[in-house]
Amino acid sequence: MAESKIRFPKNFLWGASTAAHQVEGGNHNQWSIWELEHARAWAMQSEYQLGELEKWPLIKQDAKDPNNYVSGRAIDHYHRYESDFDLLEELNMNAFRFSIEWSRVEPTEGAWNIEAIEHYKRYVRSLKERKIEPVLTLFHFTLPVWFAEKGGFEYRRNVKYFVRFVEKVLTELGNDIRLIITINEPEVYASQSYYQGHWPPARQSKRLTHRVLKNLAYAHNQTARMTHKLHPRYKLSIAKNSSYTYAGDNALLSRKTADAMQYFSDDYFLKKVIDQCDFLGVNYYFSNRVYGYRVHNPEEHVSDMGWDMQPANLEFVVERLWEKYKKPIIITENGLADADDELRKWWLQHTLLALQRALQSGVRIQGYLHWSLLDNVEWAYGRWPRFGLAEVDYISMKRTLRPSAHWFGQMIAKLRKGSQ
Ligand code: BGC
């Protein structure tokens, strides 16, 4: 593999991503209530849902245990962030994406929790002192209970509460912040929560899905306007879940279907917010190979969750987005569930080469943030999917860097040196 030839731009951000609810522990929000209500049912249905997975014999014990689904103390990152940041340094990283949990900062409407704000100030300060660029996410799937009870993003009139929360966060700790993700994967949230009904508030309505998407776009745009007024230093984007959808053959139907799918999954939402994006945050996990009007993926490599993996296609994702929107790109998430660390190095190698090819073809890429630094709670799947560069022992909470992480850390050091 031609790793040594890779030249990344000076100041390229090398890092990892997390989200508050998945790592912090001790959260009380719409999701924590939902998990408690559903843990038993998820455990009971797990064999039916997951029994076909190749890794079922290995995950079965966890998947059948209701505790798997309750975030509880998660990985206790709230208290262990300093030693988790040590891992970033060990990996030679210079960037870290995390989210601030709205339900901690504003546990009841209009009442700010000073203790939580002080915590996040110390948190961000610690990153800065280590010369690690903080990439702040403001909404990563979880909502305060009071906001959810008002109907959350179903109503345009509720957007002002989100903007007020962001303004508070930035007035308190914004001095240390430059890069901001307003909303993580808007379509994933809208689809899981309002179309498929797998996530709270578990609605199944096309009309509502559409409305929530519109309101999320409005929320991004309003937040960006407010934020840019606060200080021109702030650079914003959403974290766009972007897959690569392509025709598997030359048939007209396959090509038309692939184009339409790509449009609806990427451009439909992006068009509403792109004018208020200073860069483009991209989360890449999947490709869709289309035959006729169906997706049939090669499945040569699948993750522990059964997801088809085509890391090299990241090149085409970013080339397409650059061509179309001409905004600098930061990969805000990218990774795989791989408990035994069998394929993570392979994934990372292909990803780095894909980024290199995209850079060579002129795409402006400013950073790569791997999902995730640590094993964490994977939403309705719970703890068994292991996305971490570091493995977490859920009993002792001990963190151990996986072999692929050591490799990646050394590679980052080389690449950073090579780009100076
Ligand atoms: C989300 C993360 C999630 C990851 C892996 C993304 O959709 O932003 O929260 O853990 O993918 O599924």
Side-chain angles (χ1 to χ4, degrees):
M1 197 136 301
E3 287 142 4
S4 55
K5 289 202 197 124
I6 302 174
R7 288 283 178 274
F8 284 82
K10 201 169 173 243
N11 301 328
F12 193 83
L13 298 176
W14 289 106
S17 284
T18 55
H21 187 74
Q22 295 177 268
V23 293
E24 282 185 344
N27 279 328
H28 177 71
N29 55 34
Q30 185 196 28
W31 250 97
S32 61
I33 295 177
W34 172 256
E35 295 157 0
L36 284 173
E37 285 170 358
H38 291 80
R40 202 159 266 284
W42 286 334
M44 278 177 354
Q45 288 164 18
S46 61
E47 181 146 14
Y48 174 74
Q49 302 283 357
L50 309 165
E52 302 282 300
L53 292 179
E54 200 186 306
K55 293 285 165 79
W56 174 249
L58 298 176
I59 63 170
K60 166 160 115 182
Q61 203 187 343
D62 287 336
K64 286 187 161 198
D65 177 1
N67 294 318
N68 168 63
Y69 303 93
V70 180
S71 57
R73 61 176 185 143
I75 56 166
D76 198 30
H77 175 69
Y78 195 82
H79 299 112
R80 294 169 196 252
Y81 68 88
E82 288 286 2
S83 49
D84 289 342
F85 294 170
D86 291 345
L87 294 174
L88 295 171
E89 290 191 283
E90 216 176 313
L91 293 172
N92 303 306
M93 291 179 167
N94 60 356
F96 183 60
R97 176 176 171 228
F98 62 95
S99 69
I100 286 196
E101 177 60 30
W102 185 3
S103 63
R104 282 188 190 273
V105 172
E106 193 178 4
T108 48
E109 184 186 337
W112 305 113
N113 176 355
I114 308 295
E115 208 185 301
I117 293 173
E118 289 304 316
H119 164 86
Y120 286 120
K121 275 189 191 166
R122 289 193 297 273
Y123 187 95
V124 172
R125 216 39 331 256
S126 169
L127 288 171
K128 292 294 279 191
E129 278 162 13
R130 295 162 187 265
K131 302 211 175 355
I132 294 174
E133 178 77 43
V135 182
L136 164 66
T137 307
L138 295 155
F139 171 49
H140 198 124
F141 300 155
T142 50
L143 296 175
V145 176
W146 62 265
F147 183 75
E149 281 170 354
K150 281 183 190 292
F153 288 108
E154 288 166 42
Y155 300 101
R156 190 177 160 105
R157 62 171 182 265
N158 288 347
V159 165
K160 60 178 180 289
Y161 299 106
F162 179 69
V163 180
R164 183 179 67 177
F165 153 65
V166 178
E167 187 167 6
K168 179 69 180 171
V169 167
L170 293 180
T171 9
E172 292 286 350
L173 46 87
N175 279 345
D176 284 330
I177 301 287
R178 190 170 63 90
L179 297 172
I180 300 175
I181 298 295
T182 51
I183 297 163
N184 182 65
E185 302 191 344
E187 290 101 330
V188 172
Y189 171 72
S191 139
Q192 294 286 349
S193 296
Y194 290 95
Y195 186 66
Q196 318 246 19
H198 295 152
W199 291 0
R203 302 292 303 271
Q204 289 179 316
S205 150
K206 270 194 194 152
R207 195 178 49 85
L208 259 182
T209 309
H210 183 71
R211 209 163 81 193
V212 168
L213 277 175
K214 258 177 76 177
N215 292 338
L216 289 174
Y218 178 67
H220 170 84
N221 291 335
Q222 290 294 94
T223 307
R225 282 187 196 105
M226 179 276 292
T227 305
H228 285 138
K229 261 188 227 148
L230 280 183
H231 206 286
R233 166 183 78 250
Y234 296 127
K235 302 289 173 225
L236 285 90
S237 175
I238 57 167
K240 179 72 189 77
N241 46 293
S242 194
S243 345
Y244 179 62
T245 303
Y246 62 102
D249 57 22
N250 211 15
L252 185 66
L253 181 62
S254 309
R255 284 185 282 131
K256 290 268 175 220
T257 309
D259 286 352
M261 281 174 67
Q262 188 78 71
Y263 177 85
F264 283 109
S265 61
D266 269 4
D267 308 298
Y268 172 77
F269 189 85
L270 268 182
K271 281 192 165 165
K272 298 182 199 295
V273 294
I274 198 71
D275 289 346
Q276 293 293 339
C277 285
D278 304 296
F279 67 99
L280 198 49
V282 175
N283 294 359
Y284 173 73
Y285 293 92
F286 306 105
S287 287
N288 300 307
R289 186 180 66 181
V290 177
Y291 287 107
Y293 52 88
R294 292 233 172 105
V295 173
H296 289 285
N297 277 321
E299 304 207 339
E300 271 163 41
H301 298 284
V302 291
S303 77
D304 291 355
M305 298 172 82
W307 296 359
D308 173 68
M309 300 194 290
Q310 302 182 52
N313 287 350
L314 175 60
E315 176 192 353
F316 308 126
V317 169
V318 292
E319 282 172 357
R320 177 180 178 278
L321 291 170
W322 170 252
E323 182 99 336
K324 198 146 188 179
Y325 298 105
K326 290 281 183 280
K327 300 272 176 177
I329 290 172
I330 297 179
I331 309 303
T332 36
E333 279 183 40
N334 174 270
L336 66 161
D338 181 15
D340 295 332
D341 208 34
E342 289 162 331
L343 290 170
R344 195 170 279 102
K345 181 175 165 191
W346 164 84
W347 172 282
L348 283 164
Q349 284 174 324
H350 284 277
T351 299
L352 294 179
L353 290 170
L355 290 174
Q356 180 198 33
R357 287 193 299 273
L359 283 164
Q360 276 164 355
S361 69
V363 184
R364 243 179 101 196
I365 310 173
Q366 298 181 331
Y368 172 82
L369 309 175
H370 188 79
W371 184 274
S372 181
L373 177 64
L374 303 141
D375 288 341
N376 59 51
V377 185
E378 176 59 20
W379 306 110
Y381 291 95
R383 284 178 175 71
W384 64 261
R386 303 276 187 158
F387 277 89
L389 289 168
E391 180 180 358
V392 177
D393 177 327
Y394 281 105
I395 297 170
S396 67
M397 292 293 163
K398 187 170 182 281
R399 280 77 160 139
T400 312
L401 286 173
R402 295 194 155 97
S404 61
H406 286 294
W407 175 86
F408 187 39
Q410 282 157 17
M411 185 51 72
I412 293 175
K414 258 198 232 163
L415 296 172
R416 285 182 68 184
K417 233 174 146 186
S419 63
Q420 272 163 7

